[in-house]
Amino acid sequence: MARLYWEDENVMTDKPQKTASLTLDGKTYELPVISPTAGPDVIDIRKLYAQANVFTYDPGFTSTAACDSTITFIDGDLGELLHRGYPIDQLASKSHYLEVCFLLLYGHLPEAGELETFESLVTNHTMLHEQMVHLFRGFRRDAHPMAIMTGVVGAMSAFYHDSTDINDPHQREVASIRLIAKMPTIAAMAFKYTVGQPFVYPRNDIDYASNFLRMCFAVPAEDYEVNPILARAMDRIFTLHADHEQNASTSTVRLASSSGANPFACIAAGIACLWGPAHGGANQACLEMLNEIGTVDRIPEFIARAKDKNDPFRLMGFGHRVYKNIDPRAKVLKESADEVLELLGVENNPILQVAKELEAAALADPYFAEKKLFPNVDFYSGIILEAMGFPTSMFTPIFALSRTVGWISQWKEMISDPAMKIGRPRQLYCGEVARDYVDIENR
Ligand code: SDX
């Protein structure tokens, strides 16, 4: 892995070093500045507490680089997203999900033989341990599929003991393949369980996206032919959600993994975090919002609510911590929405019209322009998924399925770094200082 300016904790390369001066109580501290290959410089504060007995304060991590990484780069002002240097729009149009998985995991586009071997590995690990099937029966039929996925993925550590030793590179590799291969099977089984249909087992003679569609929509009562248009759209959605730098769920996976917890437990933690409506749960919340708006004439009412400080309502699928320009994934998904809905003969879908009119109205409104709020990945994805036949409750499970490779790639990068430490943030304490206990009769 390409190391940054500092080779490790104490050895510095011979490059000229920039520093930042911090003066506190009349004393000046010179803090090293590390320059990345792209993006802003970082001020290295690893020794600040030891030197100056102060913490930095950044509750939402808005100005904090929690790690160094070579996997994904985002430029929020340009609306740029690169995976190992390759722009997301090129990967979405020219590559496919399993090739992007290889790229994220191993850092380069595979040669033909490498890709064939990787795809064969994934294909031959899509089945679940048969005993895990019983786990689903412990849930109520109306359980949210994300609740089921969180539970079943965490339980994988009870079934795949031979790939839980994070210090063994071979076991890390096996766990990575198992998770990427089995996530579609688990997501599809969670869906089937909630709709009361029998589980459909994966097949080895169809591609990854087709397998997922078949496991979701095939029934024993009749043959199921995968629509190649839907398979291509599904694969593209997987690709667009694969990784996204240090977002909340990836940071959750990194923090959980830093304690040495097994990969299945850490990915389950990532699934739980992604579920939130401010994060991956926004795709479900966005479509529910669009359905609530219902018709174009109600858009002004919802725009007004989103701007009203006294109303907690926010436009779901809008805004982003990093993107202050349109999310490049939203741009691709908007094009895909037009294409898929037309091919499915539902191009006049009133909800797509509401989404497009809502986007236009918001982008024309000074409030959204000033706060640089643009559609994000969750704004159009739900429209496509609904047109493909998925209920809104399956939107975030599909996001989780897609993001598993990103979580795994970031996990492998961190775990294989010899300088890795357990993550342990400090705090700005504003509570009571030490005081003596008072017996109840004296209170
Ligand atoms: C994902 O991080 C990632 O990379 C995530 C993700 C990934 O691939 O992993 O890209 C996936 O999570 C996309 C985001 C999905 N979430 C939503 O669509 C939910 C709606 N969006 C917001 O809740 C919000 O925009 C966030 C959570 C996405 C970002 O929040 P921030 O960066 O903390 O911004 P903020 O809450 O401080 O908002 C800044 C201002 C505020 O107004 P002021 O207090 O300054 O007056 O913008 C306003 C907010 O009220 N604002 C919105 C808004 N989002 C922010 N106002 C109306 N509607 C919105 N959607």
Side-chain angles (χ1 to χ4, degrees), residues 217-238:
F217 297 121
V219 289
E222 57 189 33
D223 291 339
Y224 178 81
E225 276 300 310
V226 178
N227 178 330
I229 297 155
L230 294 189
R232 179 67 192 133
M234 190 80 263
D235 189 272
R236 182 172 292 175
I237 284 179
F238 291 164

Side-chain angles (χ1 to χ4, degrees), residues 244 278-279 314-315 317-318 320-321 329 371 376 403:
H244 212 240
H279 191 12
R314 286 190 166 187
L315 284 189
F318 249 79
H320 199 276
R321 172 61 58 77
R329 301 167 298 176
K371 294 180 188 298
N376 60 49
R403 184 55 55 89

